[in-house]
Protein backbone atom coordinates (compact mmCIF):
# COMPACT_ATOMS: atom_id res chain seq x y z
CA UNK A 1 0.00 0.00 0.00
CA UNK A 2 1.34 3.42 -0.95
CA UNK A 3 1.58 6.59 1.13
CA UNK A 4 -1.51 7.91 -0.61
CA UNK A 5 -3.49 5.00 0.72
CA UNK A 6 -2.20 5.44 4.26
CA UNK A 7 -5.45 7.06 5.33
CA UNK A 8 -7.34 3.96 4.27
CA UNK A 9 -7.59 1.40 7.03
CA UNK A 10 -9.72 -1.72 6.99
CA UNK A 11 -10.98 -0.92 10.49
CA UNK A 12 -14.40 0.52 11.20
CA UNK A 13 -14.94 3.75 13.13
CA UNK A 14 -16.97 1.76 15.66
CA UNK A 15 -13.97 -0.44 16.38
CA UNK A 16 -15.59 -3.42 14.70
CA UNK A 17 -14.89 -4.59 11.19
CA UNK A 18 -17.65 -4.53 8.56
CA UNK A 19 -17.74 -8.35 8.77
CA UNK A 20 -18.44 -8.11 12.51
CA UNK A 21 -21.12 -5.45 12.08
CA UNK A 22 -22.96 -7.07 9.17
CA UNK A 23 -21.96 -10.73 9.53
CA UNK A 24 -20.46 -13.11 6.97
CA UNK A 25 -22.76 -15.27 4.82
CA UNK A 26 -22.14 -18.65 3.14
CA UNK A 27 -20.60 -18.54 -0.33
CA UNK A 28 -23.55 -19.09 -2.72
CA UNK A 29 -23.64 -22.01 -5.16
CA UNK A 30 -22.10 -21.14 -8.51
CA UNK A 31 -23.95 -23.76 -10.59
CA UNK A 32 -25.55 -22.67 -13.84
CA UNK A 33 -29.06 -23.89 -13.00
CA UNK A 34 -32.21 -23.31 -15.12
CA UNK A 35 -33.26 -20.73 -12.49
CA UNK A 36 -29.97 -18.82 -12.88
CA UNK A 37 -30.34 -18.98 -16.68
CA UNK A 38 -33.86 -17.48 -16.43
CA UNK A 39 -32.81 -14.79 -13.95
CA UNK A 40 -29.91 -13.56 -16.03
CA UNK A 41 -31.12 -13.96 -19.63
CA UNK A 42 -32.25 -10.32 -19.98
CA UNK A 43 -28.80 -9.20 -18.81
CA UNK A 44 -27.00 -11.38 -21.33
CA UNK A 45 -28.57 -9.35 -24.13
CA UNK A 46 -26.61 -6.26 -22.91
CA UNK A 47 -23.24 -8.05 -23.10
CA UNK A 48 -23.77 -10.44 -26.00
CA UNK A 49 -21.33 -8.37 -28.14
CA UNK A 50 -18.53 -9.16 -25.69
CA UNK A 51 -19.28 -12.52 -24.07
CA UNK A 52 -19.80 -15.53 -26.36
CA UNK A 53 -22.96 -17.50 -25.50
CA UNK A 54 -20.83 -20.55 -24.68
CA UNK A 55 -19.06 -18.61 -21.89
CA UNK A 56 -22.23 -17.21 -20.27
CA UNK A 57 -22.68 -20.24 -17.91
CA UNK A 58 -19.41 -19.15 -16.25
CA UNK A 59 -20.51 -15.52 -15.76
CA UNK A 60 -24.24 -16.00 -15.01
CA UNK A 61 -23.92 -17.74 -11.59
CA UNK A 62 -21.75 -14.85 -10.33
CA UNK A 63 -24.18 -12.27 -11.73
CA UNK A 64 -27.18 -14.00 -10.12
CA UNK A 65 -25.40 -14.48 -6.77
CA UNK A 66 -24.18 -10.85 -6.62
CA UNK A 67 -27.60 -9.43 -7.50
CA UNK A 68 -29.33 -11.59 -4.85
CA UNK A 69 -26.77 -10.78 -2.16
CA UNK A 70 -26.89 -7.09 -2.98
CA UNK A 71 -30.61 -7.03 -2.10
CA UNK A 72 -30.08 -9.15 1.01
CA UNK A 73 -27.34 -6.79 2.24
CA UNK A 74 -29.13 -3.54 1.23
CA UNK A 75 -26.03 -2.72 -0.83
CA UNK A 76 -25.54 -0.65 -3.95
CA UNK A 77 -22.85 -1.28 -6.57
CA UNK A 78 -21.16 1.73 -8.17
CA UNK A 79 -19.23 0.98 -11.36
CA UNK A 80 -16.91 3.37 -13.16
CA UNK A 81 -17.18 3.72 -16.95
CA UNK A 82 -13.88 1.77 -17.28
CA UNK A 83 -15.19 -1.42 -15.64
CA UNK A 84 -15.68 -4.45 -17.87
CA UNK A 85 -19.13 -4.90 -19.55
CA UNK A 86 -20.12 -7.85 -17.29
CA UNK A 87 -19.78 -5.57 -14.23
CA UNK A 88 -21.06 -2.40 -15.94
CA UNK A 89 -24.21 -3.96 -17.45
CA UNK A 90 -25.01 -6.95 -15.23
CA UNK A 91 -24.42 -6.04 -11.56
CA UNK A 92 -23.96 -2.24 -11.31
CA UNK A 93 -26.76 -0.06 -9.92
CA UNK A 94 -25.09 3.25 -10.76
CA UNK A 95 -22.53 3.84 -13.51
CA UNK A 96 -20.56 6.96 -14.41
CA UNK A 97 -17.36 8.86 -13.67
CA UNK A 98 -15.94 8.93 -10.15
CA UNK A 99 -17.65 12.09 -8.96
CA UNK A 100 -21.00 11.21 -10.50
CA UNK A 101 -20.86 7.84 -8.74
CA UNK A 102 -20.13 9.28 -5.32
CA UNK A 103 -22.78 11.98 -5.67
CA UNK A 104 -25.46 9.58 -6.89
CA UNK A 105 -24.67 7.27 -3.98
CA UNK A 106 -25.68 10.01 -1.52
CA UNK A 107 -29.19 9.82 -2.95
CA UNK A 108 -29.76 6.08 -2.51
CA UNK A 109 -31.17 4.39 0.53
CA UNK A 110 -28.47 1.74 0.92
CA UNK A 111 -26.26 1.06 3.92
CA UNK A 112 -23.40 -0.43 1.94
CA UNK A 113 -21.59 0.83 -1.15
CA UNK A 114 -19.44 -1.57 -3.16
CA UNK A 115 -17.10 0.55 -5.28
CA UNK A 116 -16.12 -1.05 -8.57
CA UNK A 117 -13.28 1.28 -9.49
CA UNK A 118 -9.96 2.28 -7.94
CA UNK A 119 -9.31 3.25 -4.33
CA UNK A 120 -9.28 7.03 -4.69
CA UNK A 121 -12.85 6.64 -6.03
CA UNK A 122 -13.83 4.55 -3.02
CA UNK A 123 -12.33 7.22 -0.78
CA UNK A 124 -14.35 9.93 -2.56
CA UNK A 125 -17.49 7.85 -2.03
CA UNK A 126 -16.64 7.59 1.66
CA UNK A 127 -16.02 11.36 1.89
CA UNK A 128 -19.44 12.12 0.46
CA UNK A 129 -21.17 9.25 2.29
CA UNK A 130 -19.48 9.24 5.70
CA UNK A 131 -22.24 7.24 7.40
CA UNK A 132 -22.29 4.45 4.83
CA UNK A 133 -20.02 1.42 4.75
CA UNK A 134 -17.86 1.60 1.63
CA UNK A 135 -16.20 -1.58 0.33
CA UNK A 136 -13.71 -2.05 -2.49
CA UNK A 137 -13.34 -5.58 -3.89
CA UNK A 138 -9.55 -5.22 -4.26
CA UNK A 139 -7.63 -2.77 -2.07
CA UNK A 140 -4.68 -2.97 -4.49
CA UNK A 141 -6.69 -1.23 -7.23
CA UNK A 142 -4.53 1.92 -7.37
CA UNK A 143 -3.89 4.68 -9.91
CA UNK A 144 -0.66 6.06 -11.36
CA UNK A 145 -2.05 9.60 -11.25
CA UNK A 146 -3.35 9.52 -7.66
CA UNK A 147 -0.12 7.92 -6.49
CA UNK A 148 2.10 10.55 -8.12
CA UNK A 149 1.52 12.99 -5.25
CA UNK A 150 1.04 13.02 -1.46
CA UNK A 151 -0.39 15.47 1.06
CA UNK A 152 3.19 16.31 2.11
CA UNK A 153 4.01 17.24 -1.51
CA UNK A 154 1.04 19.62 -1.58
CA UNK A 155 2.15 21.26 1.68
CA UNK A 156 5.58 21.78 0.12
CA UNK A 157 4.01 23.34 -2.98
CA UNK A 158 2.04 25.72 -0.74
CA UNK A 159 5.26 26.80 0.98
CA UNK A 160 7.04 27.22 -2.36
CA UNK A 161 4.20 29.21 -3.96
CA UNK A 162 2.63 31.20 -1.09
CA UNK A 163 -0.74 32.70 -1.99
CA UNK A 164 -1.16 30.69 -5.19
CA UNK A 165 -4.48 28.78 -5.08
CA UNK A 166 -4.23 24.98 -5.30
CA UNK A 167 -6.74 23.23 -7.56
CA UNK A 168 -6.64 19.45 -7.26
CA UNK A 169 -8.09 17.00 -9.75
CA UNK A 170 -10.63 14.60 -8.18
CA UNK A 171 -8.37 11.70 -9.20
CA UNK A 172 -6.36 12.05 -5.98
CA UNK A 173 -6.34 10.61 -2.47
CA UNK A 174 -8.28 12.20 0.41
CA UNK A 175 -4.90 13.13 1.90
CA UNK A 176 -4.13 15.33 -1.15
CA UNK A 177 -7.65 16.77 -1.39
CA UNK A 178 -7.44 17.77 2.29
CA UNK A 179 -4.43 20.01 1.55
CA UNK A 180 -6.09 21.70 -1.45
CA UNK A 181 -8.25 24.79 -1.83
CA UNK A 182 -10.71 23.20 -4.22
CA UNK A 183 -11.14 20.14 -6.44
CA UNK A 184 -11.88 20.04 -10.16
CA UNK A 185 -12.94 17.46 -12.71
CA UNK A 186 -11.76 17.29 -16.31
CA UNK A 187 -15.12 18.81 -17.27
CA UNK A 188 -14.95 21.94 -15.06
CA UNK A 189 -11.19 22.51 -14.63
CA UNK A 190 -11.08 25.79 -16.65
CA UNK A 191 -14.03 27.25 -14.75
CA UNK A 192 -12.52 26.26 -11.37
CA UNK A 193 -9.11 27.70 -12.25
CA UNK A 194 -10.67 31.01 -13.33
CA UNK A 195 -12.92 31.20 -10.25
CA UNK A 196 -10.08 32.62 -8.10
CA UNK A 197 -9.44 35.68 -10.27
CA UNK A 198 -5.67 35.31 -9.70
CA UNK A 199 -2.81 35.48 -12.22
CA UNK A 200 -1.44 32.07 -11.26
CA UNK A 201 -3.02 28.81 -10.13
CA UNK A 202 -1.49 25.45 -9.24
CA UNK A 203 -3.44 22.76 -11.09
CA UNK A 204 -2.26 19.36 -9.86
CA UNK A 205 -1.34 16.53 -10.22
CA UNK A 206 -2.07 15.79 -13.91
CA UNK A 207 0.49 17.57 -16.07
CA UNK A 208 -1.40 16.96 -19.31
CA UNK A 209 -4.78 18.03 -17.94
CA UNK A 210 -3.06 21.21 -16.66
CA UNK A 211 -1.50 21.86 -20.08
CA UNK A 212 -4.86 21.31 -21.78
CA UNK A 213 -6.46 23.77 -19.34
CA UNK A 214 -3.63 26.28 -19.92
CA UNK A 215 -4.49 26.28 -23.62
CA UNK A 216 -8.00 27.54 -22.78
CA UNK A 217 -7.29 30.31 -20.24
CA UNK A 218 -5.13 33.38 -19.64
CA UNK A 219 -4.38 32.24 -16.08
CA UNK A 220 -0.79 30.99 -15.75
CA UNK A 221 -0.97 27.33 -14.77
CA UNK A 222 1.67 25.70 -12.59
CA UNK A 223 1.50 21.94 -12.37
CA UNK A 224 2.98 18.62 -11.23
CA UNK A 225 4.49 15.71 -13.14
CA UNK A 226 1.65 13.23 -12.59
CA UNK A 227 0.30 11.22 -15.53
CA UNK A 228 -2.42 8.67 -16.14
CA UNK A 229 -0.59 5.60 -17.43
CA UNK A 230 -3.49 4.81 -19.78
CA UNK A 231 -3.90 8.20 -21.46
CA UNK A 232 -0.22 9.18 -21.62
CA UNK A 233 0.40 6.29 -24.05
CA UNK A 234 -1.72 7.73 -26.88
CA UNK A 235 0.29 9.58 -29.51
CA UNK A 236 -0.60 12.13 -32.16
CA UNK A 237 1.13 9.90 -34.74
CA UNK A 238 -1.23 6.97 -34.15
CA UNK A 239 -4.33 9.19 -34.32
CA UNK A 240 -3.13 10.77 -37.58
CA UNK A 241 -2.68 7.25 -38.99
CA UNK A 242 -6.29 6.36 -38.02
CA UNK A 243 -7.58 9.56 -39.63
CA UNK A 244 -5.59 9.05 -42.82
CA UNK A 245 -6.94 5.50 -43.08
CA UNK A 246 -10.51 6.79 -42.73
CA UNK A 247 -11.10 10.59 -42.88
CA UNK A 248 -14.74 10.10 -41.80
CA UNK A 249 -13.91 9.05 -38.23
CA UNK A 250 -14.61 11.35 -35.29
CA UNK A 251 -11.81 11.39 -32.74
CA UNK A 252 -12.91 11.95 -29.14
CA UNK A 253 -10.20 12.27 -26.51
CA UNK A 254 -9.93 12.50 -22.75
CA UNK A 255 -8.08 15.61 -21.43
CA UNK A 256 -5.63 13.37 -19.52
CA UNK A 257 -4.07 12.71 -22.95
CA UNK A 258 -1.02 14.75 -24.06
CA UNK A 259 -1.95 18.17 -25.56
CA UNK A 260 -0.83 17.16 -29.07
CA UNK A 261 -3.36 14.30 -28.94
CA UNK A 262 -6.16 16.56 -27.68
CA UNK A 263 -5.31 19.08 -30.44
CA UNK A 264 -6.13 16.48 -33.11
CA UNK A 265 -9.43 15.43 -31.52
CA UNK A 266 -12.83 16.64 -32.73
CA UNK A 267 -14.00 16.75 -29.12
CA UNK A 268 -12.28 16.45 -25.74
CA UNK A 269 -14.10 15.83 -22.46
CA UNK A 270 -14.52 13.75 -19.34
CA UNK A 271 -15.76 10.16 -19.67
CA UNK A 272 -19.34 11.37 -19.10
CA UNK A 273 -18.82 14.21 -21.59
CA UNK A 274 -17.52 11.75 -24.19
CA UNK A 275 -20.51 9.45 -23.69
CA UNK A 276 -22.97 12.36 -23.95
CA UNK A 277 -21.24 13.57 -27.12
CA UNK A 278 -21.56 10.17 -28.81
CA UNK A 279 -25.18 9.70 -27.73
CA UNK A 280 -26.19 13.18 -28.89
CA UNK A 281 -24.23 13.43 -32.16
CA UNK A 282 -24.31 9.76 -33.26
CA UNK A 283 -21.19 9.95 -35.44
CA UNK A 284 -21.14 6.87 -37.71
CA UNK A 285 -17.54 5.99 -36.77
CA UNK A 286 -15.79 6.96 -33.57
CA UNK A 287 -12.32 6.58 -32.12
CA UNK A 288 -12.62 6.89 -28.34
CA UNK A 289 -9.18 7.88 -27.09
CA UNK A 290 -9.50 6.56 -23.56
CA UNK A 291 -9.63 3.30 -21.59
CA UNK A 292 -10.76 0.43 -23.75
CA UNK A 293 -13.80 -0.78 -21.80
CA UNK A 294 -15.65 2.49 -22.24
CA UNK A 295 -16.43 1.89 -25.91
CA UNK A 296 -17.50 -1.68 -25.06
CA UNK A 297 -19.87 -0.35 -22.39
CA UNK A 298 -21.65 2.27 -24.48
CA UNK A 299 -21.95 0.14 -27.63
CA UNK A 300 -25.17 -1.42 -26.32
CA UNK A 301 -26.87 2.02 -26.19
CA UNK A 302 -25.71 3.26 -29.61
CA UNK A 303 -25.84 0.26 -31.98
CA UNK A 304 -25.71 2.63 -35.00
CA UNK A 305 -22.21 3.87 -34.02
CA UNK A 306 -19.11 1.91 -35.00
CA UNK A 307 -16.24 2.12 -32.51
CA UNK A 308 -12.61 1.80 -33.46
CA UNK A 309 -10.69 0.76 -30.37
CA UNK A 310 -7.08 1.81 -29.88
CA UNK A 311 -7.46 -0.17 -26.65
CA UNK A 312 -5.29 0.94 -23.76
CA UNK A 313 -6.40 -0.96 -20.66
CA UNK A 314 -6.10 0.30 -17.08
CA UNK A 315 -4.53 -2.55 -15.09
CA UNK A 316 -5.86 -1.08 -11.84
CA UNK A 317 -9.48 -0.97 -12.99
CA UNK A 318 -9.13 -4.52 -14.26
CA UNK A 319 -8.31 -5.80 -10.75
CA UNK A 320 -12.06 -5.64 -10.05
CA UNK A 321 -13.80 -8.83 -11.20
CA UNK A 322 -17.12 -10.60 -10.60
CA UNK A 323 -15.55 -13.21 -8.24
CA UNK A 324 -13.96 -10.41 -6.15
CA UNK A 325 -17.25 -8.46 -6.00
CA UNK A 326 -19.02 -11.59 -4.77
CA UNK A 327 -16.35 -12.19 -2.11
CA UNK A 328 -16.64 -8.56 -1.07
CA UNK A 329 -20.38 -8.99 -0.39
CA UNK A 330 -19.99 -12.40 1.26
CA UNK A 331 -17.12 -11.45 3.58
CA UNK A 332 -17.80 -7.66 3.80
CA UNK A 333 -14.32 -6.62 2.70
CA UNK A 334 -12.26 -4.48 2.07
CA UNK A 335 -13.66 -1.60 4.05
CA UNK A 336 -12.60 1.99 3.34
CA UNK A 337 -12.02 4.20 6.32
CA UNK A 338 -10.84 7.81 6.13
CA UNK A 339 -9.79 9.64 9.29
CA UNK A 340 -12.80 11.89 10.13
CA UNK A 341 -10.75 15.11 10.57
CA UNK A 342 -8.94 14.56 7.27
CA UNK A 343 -12.23 13.59 5.60
CA UNK A 344 -13.85 16.85 6.73
CA UNK A 345 -11.06 18.92 5.09
CA UNK A 346 -11.07 16.82 1.93
CA UNK A 347 -14.87 17.01 1.69
CA UNK A 348 -14.65 20.80 1.92
CA UNK A 349 -12.44 20.90 -1.20
CA UNK A 350 -14.96 18.73 -3.09
CA UNK A 351 -17.95 20.74 -1.85
CA UNK A 352 -16.36 24.06 -2.84
CA UNK A 353 -16.23 22.75 -6.38
CA UNK A 354 -19.80 21.44 -6.27
CA UNK A 355 -21.07 24.76 -4.88
CA UNK A 356 -19.06 26.94 -7.24
CA UNK A 357 -22.10 28.17 -9.14
CA UNK A 358 -24.22 28.76 -6.00
S1 LIG B 1 -7.36 5.13 -16.15
FE1 LIG B 1 -5.63 6.39 -15.47
S2 LIG B 1 -6.53 7.89 -14.04
FE2 LIG B 1 -8.03 6.20 -14.29
S3 LIG B 1 -7.55 4.76 -12.64
FE3 LIG B 1 -6.39 4.04 -14.43
S4 LIG B 1 -4.37 5.02 -14.19
FE4 LIG B 1 -5.78 6.13 -12.83
Amino acid sequence: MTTNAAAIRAVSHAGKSAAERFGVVDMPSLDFTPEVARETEHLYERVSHHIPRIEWPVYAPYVAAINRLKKQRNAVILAHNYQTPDIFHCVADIVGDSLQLAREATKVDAEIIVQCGVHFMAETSKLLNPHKTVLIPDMKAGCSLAESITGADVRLLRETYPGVPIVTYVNTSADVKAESDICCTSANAVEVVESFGTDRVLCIPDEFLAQNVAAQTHVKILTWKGHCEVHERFTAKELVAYREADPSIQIIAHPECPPEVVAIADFAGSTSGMIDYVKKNRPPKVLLVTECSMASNIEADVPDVEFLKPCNLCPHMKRITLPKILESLVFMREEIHVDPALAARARMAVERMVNLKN
Side-chain angles (χ1 to χ4, degrees):
M1 188 56 53
T2 63
T3 321
N4 276 356
I8 303 176
R9 300 191 302 275
V11 178
S12 85
H13 31 259
K16 284 183 176 175
S17 69
E20 286 169 324
R21 296 200 307 282
F22 292 95
V24 169
V25 298
D26 291 337
M27 182 59 81
S29 154
L30 293 171
D31 293 337
F32 185 58
T33 61
E35 194 188 354
V36 167
R38 264 196 313 278
E39 246 177 85
T40 57
E41 185 54 27
H42 66 292
L43 296 170
Y44 179 68
E45 286 164 23
R46 301 280 294 167
V47 292
S48 57
H49 281 85
H50 309 283
I51 301 175
R53 173 63 81 176
I54 199 168
E55 290 179 20
W56 187 238
V58 177
Y59 288 84
Y62 283 101
V63 168
I66 291 167
N67 286 334
R68 287 177 196 157
L69 201 45
K70 207 168 66 175
K71 281 195 194 128
Q72 191 184 322
R73 293 282 203 194
N74 189 20
V76 70
I77 294 185
L78 312 188
H80 188 265
N81 293 323
Y82 295 161
Q83 291 292 293
T84 49
D86 51 329
I87 296 172
F88 189 91
H89 286 297
C90 300
V91 299
D93 298 291
I94 301 173
V95 295
D97 61 31
S98 61
L99 195 63
Q100 266 180 329
L101 293 177
R103 286 167 70 177
E104 288 300 315
T106 62
K107 300 175 193 165
V108 298
D109 179 28
E111 284 177 277
I112 299 163
I113 293 172
V114 180
Q115 185 87 31
C116 296
V118 298
H119 63 64
F120 78 76
M121 296 177 181
E123 268 192 329
T124 308
S125 289
K126 183 68 184 174
L127 295 182
L128 298 185
N129 301 277
H131 303 301
K132 291 181 180 164
T133 295
V134 178
L135 305 175
I136 185 164
D138 188 332
M139 192 62 106
K140 292 198 191 100
C143 167
S144 64
L145 190 52
E147 287 164 21
S148 72
I149 191 162
T150 65
D153 292 326
V154 184
R155 285 195 293 277
L156 200 60
L157 283 171
R158 204 178 276 288
E159 274 174 39
T160 311
Y161 300 100
V164 179
I166 299 181
V167 175
T168 294
Y169 192 26
V170 285
N171 292 21
T172 48
S173 66
D175 188 29
V176 167
K177 288 185 178 79
E179 298 296 337
S180 310
D181 293 306
I182 191 169
C183 285
C184 75
T185 66
S186 51
N188 66 14
V190 175
E191 182 195 348
V192 172
V193 158
E194 292 181 346
S195 70
F196 290 94
T198 53
D199 295 343
R200 293 191 302 170
V201 166
L202 273 149
C203 184
I204 56 173
D206 189 328
E207 183 182 30
F208 294 147
L209 175 68
Q211 289 171 348
N212 287 320
V213 168
Q216 300 171 63
T217 180
H218 295 302
V219 179
K220 183 171 166 50
I221 305 290
L222 309 171
T223 188
W224 186 254
K225 280 270 181 201
H227 294 150
C228 161
E229 68 186 81
V230 172
H231 293 101
E232 72 175 349
R233 277 185 281 155
F234 292 106
T235 64
K237 195 174 160 199
E238 73 178 304
L239 299 197
V240 168
Y242 272 106
R243 184 159 270 156
E244 278 174 3
D246 184 350
S248 75
I249 60 167
Q250 288 253 310
I251 298 179
I252 302 177
H254 194 281
E256 288 168 17
C257 293
E260 61 273 20
V261 167
V262 170
I264 290 170
D266 298 291
F267 173 79
S270 63
T271 53
S272 319
M274 293 164 102
I275 292 172
D276 289 349
Y277 181 91
V278 173
K279 286 187 176 171
K280 199 169 151 209
N281 294 288
R282 298 295 172 111
K285 248 186 213 179
V286 166
L287 186 74
L288 278 191
V289 188
T290 188
E291 213 270 355
C292 199
S293 287
M294 202 168 93
S296 308
N297 287 332
I298 58 173
E299 265 172 340
D301 290 333
V302 285
D304 48 325
V305 177
E306 183 187 341
F307 290 91
L308 306 174
K309 298 176 186 168
C311 243
N312 285 344
L313 287 171
C314 174
H316 312 292
M317 288 280 180
K318 270 42 198 184
R319 278 186 174 275
I320 309 297
T321 60
L322 290 177
K324 286 184 192 167
I325 297 169
L326 181 58
E327 284 185 9
S328 193
L329 282 164
V330 166
F331 300 109
M332 293 300 293
R333 66 185 189 208
E334 306 283 343
E335 187 177 4
I336 298 293
H337 178 79
V338 184
D339 174 81
L342 183 134
R345 290 195 292 132
R347 190 162 45 245
M348 224 182 283
V350 176
E351 284 172 354
R352 276 195 202 113
M353 169 187 75
V354 172
N355 297 329
L356 201 60
K357 282 190 179 150
N358 299 339

